Amino acid sequence: MAASEQDVLRRIDSTKKTSQITTAMQMVSTAKLNQIQKHTFGYQVYAEKVESIVAHLAKSHLISANAAAGEKSSDSSDSISATDLLQQRPVKKVGFLVITSDRGLVGSYNSSVLKQTEDFIKATGHSAEDSVILAVGGTGADFYKGRDMNVVYEFRGVSDVPTFNEVREIVQTATSMYSNQVFDELYVCYNHFVNRITNRFHSIKMLPISDALVKSQDEKEEQGKKELMPEYETEPSEAVLLQDILPQYAESLVYGAILDAKTAEHASSSTAMQTASDNAKDLISSLQLQYNRARQSAITTEITEITGGQAAQE
């Protein structure tokens, strides 16, 4: 067998092994996607309800820094303060909480969210000088560090199906930085899961909680059926109510974004591995055809040589 034919056979063998790996990775990603979708769809109901309640409280003028002042949560010293979530001041620095994956092999998932976050930063009139990055995911942290961006916080190792307790540290760190004036506004940037082949970039203002939430709720009510405006009677006080519900809203916002981003990540990974498997099959077919042609040419040459030898003897 000619050396070129052996090389083609080696390439076919190695490509088949690669195809087996990508097919297995696709199956794993699809299983993770199906698992996290069950959590995501169920959690969206809770998150939408919390957002609706906070928006209605804001429309009822119950949400203000003064209303939240004076009460502290009885849970622990690390609890999130409602006053910190409502505190508004002139904007000098803006924080961007960017959610990416910790690994590659997810297609254009990471490059898409990083590029569109950069576009969003420019669109809001900010630059590297007046922006700080809170990176959830190793890819984003490494990307911004490599470009000398001000990365004030990074969180790596988010599980494939994140738990609510994982988010508490992120929210507590973000609110603490906001309270210490590390930044004056905070946006959450991530890829929203649309379907198995489509993601859409989302940017949500997290801090401070403001009238933007009311406008968002009004838009949703205009698109759907309008709800009756509830009247609230608070016990024991407005401050205690806000101290309970506003941290829940902040946590639900970040946790929902991470769940959504993880769902999009698994979908992108599944699609990328399926594309890689399909490309491997196409390459194997092309190499097999190349090998068959080379083998046919060699056989034809051998037959010609035999026929020529017989003719010479005659």
Side-chain angles (χ1 to χ4, degrees):
M1 188 181 292
S4 60
E5 293 176 24
Q6 290 181 343
D7 292 340
V8 172
L9 281 178
R10 289 194 194 99
R11 288 189 64 191
I12 291 174
D13 186 53
S14 64
T15 306
K16 283 182 178 178
K17 291 178 180 178
T18 302
S19 177
Q20 291 174 350
I21 294 172
T22 55
T23 300
M25 293 179 70
Q26 179 197 348
M27 294 173 64
V28 171
S29 296
T30 302
K32 290 177 180 178
L33 175 61
N34 293 334
Q35 185 181 5
I36 198 172
Q37 276 185 306
K38 296 176 183 177
H39 290 74
T40 303
F41 293 148
Y43 182 76
Q44 283 176 346
V45 178
Y46 164 78
E48 288 173 0
K49 193 63 179 176
V50 172
E51 181 180 350
S52 175
I53 291 173
V54 173
H56 287 155
L57 288 173
K59 290 176 74 173
S60 301
H61 304 291
L62 293 180
I63 290 183
S64 67
N66 292 331
E71 291 288 343
K72 293 183 180 179
S73 174
S74 58
D75 294 341
S76 69
S77 59
D78 293 333
S79 61
I80 301 169
S81 168
T83 308
D84 292 341
L85 298 175
L86 295 168
Q87 184 181 5
Q88 299 192 33
R89 54 179 176 265
V91 179
K92 297 178 182 178
K93 276 190 176 292
V94 179
F96 297 91
L97 196 156
V98 185
I99 304 173
T100 60
S101 70
D102 286 304
R103 58 186 180 86
L105 302 177
V106 289
S108 61
Y109 171 81
N110 287 317
S111 59
S112 173
V113 68
L114 292 172
K115 180 182 183 303
Q116 293 189 76
T117 298
E118 284 192 330
D119 293 341
F120 176 70
I121 293 174
K122 293 176 182 177
T124 53
H126 299 288
S127 61
E129 287 72 24
D130 60 356
S131 302
V132 297
I133 302 296
L134 292 82
V136 178
T139 302
D142 295 338
F143 174 84
Y144 288 114
K145 284 181 177 179
R147 283 156 181 76
D148 295 327
M149 294 284 286
N150 187 10
V151 180
V152 294
Y153 175 73
E154 61 178 281
F155 187 93
R156 298 172 185 256
V158 178
S159 58
D160 292 324
V161 183
T163 62
F164 197 78
N165 287 332
E166 289 183 67
V167 174
R168 290 184 185 274
E169 178 188 335
I170 300 172
V171 179
Q172 287 171 357
T173 302
T175 53
S176 175
M177 288 182 174
Y178 180 75
S179 179
N180 294 328
Q181 300 188 16
V182 176
F183 47 79
D184 306 302
E185 282 184 345
L186 179 63
Y187 291 87
V188 181
C189 303
Y190 64 99
N191 268 347
H192 164 64
F193 172 77
V194 178
N195 53 49
R196 288 176 181 255
I197 59 174
T198 306
N199 301 324
R200 185 178 297 121
F201 177 75
H202 272 197
S203 57
I204 304 172
K205 185 177 180 180
M206 177 182 167
L207 292 174
I209 296 176
S210 65
D211 294 340
L213 180 62
V214 179
K215 295 177 182 177
S216 174
Q217 185 66 23
D218 287 341
E219 290 174 0
K220 290 180 180 178
E221 290 180 356
E222 286 177 5
Q223 292 174 359
K225 63 177 184 180
K226 291 191 176 182
E227 299 178 3
L228 293 175
M229 184 67 183
E231 235 177 75
Y232 290 95
E233 294 182 3
T234 60
E235 289 186 13
S237 67
E238 293 177 5
V240 174
L241 171 68
L242 295 178
Q243 182 56 49
D244 284 339
I245 196 147
L246 290 183
Q248 285 187 48
Y249 168 70
E251 290 172 344
S252 70
L253 186 65
V254 177
Y255 182 58
I258 291 176
L259 269 182
D260 199 0
K262 270 292 178 181
T263 306
E265 177 189 333
H266 293 321
S268 295
S269 177
S270 177
T271 302
M273 292 302 100
Q274 182 179 356
T275 302
S277 299
D278 293 342
N279 290 340
K281 291 177 183 177
D282 292 341
L283 180 57
I284 291 170
S285 298
S286 176
L287 289 172
Q288 191 68 53
L289 181 61
Q290 181 181 340
Y291 171 76
N292 292 340
R293 285 176 176 172
R295 187 62 184 149
Q296 184 179 13
S297 176
I299 292 172
T300 303
T301 302
E302 290 175 4
I303 293 173
T304 303
E305 289 174 353
I306 293 171
T307 305
Q310 287 178 343
Q313 289 179 353
E314 293 175 358

